[in-house]
Every structure is written in C-alpha cells, then in structure tokens.
Amino acid sequence: MMGTHSLNLLPKSFRPTLASLRPNLLRFDSTKLTSCRRQNLGIRSVFTGIVEEMGHVKDLGLADHGGFDLKIGARVVLEDVKLGDSIAVNGTCLTVTDFDTEEFTVGLAPETLRKTSLEELERGSLVNLERALQPVSRMGGHVVQGHVDGTGVIVSMEAEGDSLWVKVKADKALLKYIVPKGFVAVDGTSLTVVDVSDQESCFNFMLVAYTQQNVVIPTKNVGQKVNLEVDIMAKYVERLLLTTSAYNTPQLMFSLQAKKG
C-alpha cells in the first residue's frame, strides 16, 4: 500500500476550515474545471445511503500538486480500497488518490466546495463514509449517486423519547423534489421524509437511536449545513413531463400534421 503523501498545510497550531482556505482554490485552470464538470455529468458510482462508518478528518489543506486534499482516518472503508475508488464523504462522491491501513486521501475541486457543506470541515470533524455499491451488494437504502444537489440548513433538533426529530430548510428549487414518505440523502444518509412545508421551505425526518449513533447528523448544531441529494427518480419524472409537454404544444402538433399532409 502507498503511504499518504504530506500536505502543504499551515502550521499545526492553526485549525483551518475549508471555507477559510477556499479563495485560494479558485485559482484553478478553467479548462481543468470544465473537464471536471463534464466528467461529473455521468453516473460513475452508485451508493445506497447506508453509512458504513464515521471517519474523522485528520488533515486538510493545499497540497504540493496545487490542489486541495482531504485526509480522513477510517477503518471499514479501507478493507478493500484501491486507488481511484469512489467513497462518499458526507454524501459527496470523491476519488481516493492515496491511502494506507489507517487513512485515505481525496481531492476536492472548487465546484465541490461551492456545492457542498464540506467547506465547513476542520481537523477532527466526523464524516459519514460509504463505499460505492458493488453489483453483488444488497440495496439497503435508495439510489444515491453522490452528486450533491445543494445544501440545507438545520433549523431544529428535538428529541421524542429516544428518537430525534430534525428539520432542515432547503432551497425551493430542491424542495419541490422532496415529498412526504419519499427518500432524501442528508450528508449521504438515506432517510425517509416525514413532512414537507412549502411555507417554511422545510422538511423533517426522524432518526431512531441506532441511526443517531452511526451518522454525523446528531453531532451537528442548529444553523449548520448538510449536504442534500434528492431522489433521482423525481428529476427523471420532471424531465419526462417537461419533454412530453413540449412535444404536445399546439404549434408543434400543427407543424407535425402539416408535414404528414
């Protein structure tokens, strides 16, 4: 196995967050960024949203190669890891660029930092980890691509017995895909939506005791961001309806009939 390469970090006494270093990351070659965006358009890996373990951030910062690296301590997801494998970190599909028996490294592109809550990470932060689904694996959650659609903000966390109610505020552009009893991935955790409030632009879900002990959501505070990935099926349905509607416009139907005549 290869040892994780050293990062070009600030002094150890300084505890940076990705947000504090993000301006430096925007000095990327635009052609590389365009290429990265093109690569992310296709479905490369699939996840279930069933978190395998919680890892912890060991280091983060600008690397010698000029990019931004995130080094994570883990155990379960390293059992069969290979260079180039995909691991979802808080629901964000990232590529393993280096690893050893106790940690692995992934690179973060500027667009990833803009789109996700990973910018709030710091050394010691807990993160949800899941390896990409293999064809022989059980499908325990729902189809999660690891392509974060945007972020939400935790607005309340209330206990009911040993369960925890969590309410998240989301942009209306995302909320339209979220329905009661439907699926949503929150920080990469597959969850069932309980209620949706269009007036508040919020949705909520409940975490049972077992889930609370095995995902990072309960460790966050009100006001913190969470990564959101809506059910891909909802977007497919919307696209199909829009396309069908476009083909059934009176102008198009008249044009088609004229050609047939």
Side-chain angles (χ1 to χ4, degrees):
M1 291 186 179
M2 299 175 61
T4 305
H5 61 266
S6 61
L7 304 181
N8 181 20
L9 297 172
L10 295 172
K12 295 293 184 180
S13 59
F14 180 70
R15 290 173 58 84
T17 63
L18 300 190
S20 66
L21 294 174
R22 185 169 62 170
N24 295 319
L25 299 176
L26 302 182
R27 300 171 187 167
F28 274 66
D29 187 291
S30 60
T31 58
K32 292 182 180 179
L33 181 56
T34 301
S35 174
C36 177
R37 283 175 173 167
R38 286 173 181 166
Q39 292 174 0
N40 287 335
L41 291 177
I43 299 176
R44 189 184 66 177
S45 302
V46 175
F47 304 88
T48 66
I50 304 300
V51 176
E52 294 189 271
E53 70 171 317
M54 286 191 288
H56 63 280
V57 176
K58 299 186 71 172
D59 255 332
L60 67 164
L62 295 173
D64 294 334
H65 54 70
F68 197 95
D69 278 355
L70 176 62
K71 187 189 296 185
I72 299 171
R75 180 176 57 84
V76 175
V77 298
L78 294 175
E79 291 174 356
D80 57 356
V81 71
K82 301 183 293 298
L83 290 178
D85 278 356
S86 296
I87 295 179
V89 179
N90 279 358
T92 308
C93 180
L94 300 173
T95 301
V96 176
T97 59
D98 215 342
F99 68 92
D100 60 23
T101 58
E102 298 180 344
E103 60 193 30
F104 67 96
T105 299
V106 292
L108 298 176
E111 180 69 2
T112 303
L113 294 173
R114 284 190 289 264
K115 196 79 172 183
T116 72
S117 66
L118 297 181
E119 65 173 4
E120 295 186 344
L121 294 178
E122 59 184 16
R123 294 192 185 102
S125 294
L126 295 175
V127 288
N128 290 329
L129 301 176
E130 182 192 355
R131 289 168 290 185
L133 182 67
Q134 295 180 338
V136 297
S137 301
R138 293 190 184 94
M139 191 68 183
H142 74 285
V143 177
V144 178
Q145 298 180 83
H147 297 171
V148 175
D149 291 303
T151 58
V153 176
I154 298 173
V155 294
S156 68
M157 304 176 77
E158 298 179 4
E160 182 179 342
D162 64 351
S163 295
L164 182 68
W165 283 100
V166 182
K167 181 186 287 187
V168 174
K169 186 178 181 63
D171 189 275
K172 291 186 182 297
L174 288 183
L175 197 69
K176 66 179 181 178
Y177 299 113
I178 301 174
V179 298
K181 303 304 182 286
F183 289 118
V184 66
V186 180
D187 275 346
T189 306
S190 176
L191 296 167
T192 301
V193 177
V194 178
D195 290 310
V196 178
S197 171
D198 291 322
Q199 292 75 21
E200 297 179 89
S201 193
C202 292
F203 68 94
N204 67 359
F205 53 87
M206 179 176 277
L207 300 177
V208 297
Y210 175 83
T211 306
Q212 292 176 54
Q213 297 166 8
N214 290 278
V215 303
V216 302
I217 299 169
T219 69
K220 292 191 170 184
N221 301 315
V222 171
Q224 281 192 276
K225 292 181 180 179
V226 289
N227 289 326
L228 300 178
E229 182 182 337
V230 298
D231 192 349
I232 185 63
M233 299 306 293
K235 290 188 282 188
Y236 278 131
V237 170
E238 180 187 50
R239 175 65 175 166
L240 180 61
L241 291 175
L242 289 174
T243 303
T244 303
S245 175
Y247 276 102
N248 286 328
T249 59
Q251 295 86 347
L252 181 60
M253 295 302 293
F254 177 79
S255 176
L256 291 175
Q257 289 173 0
K259 288 182 179 179
K260 288 180 180 179

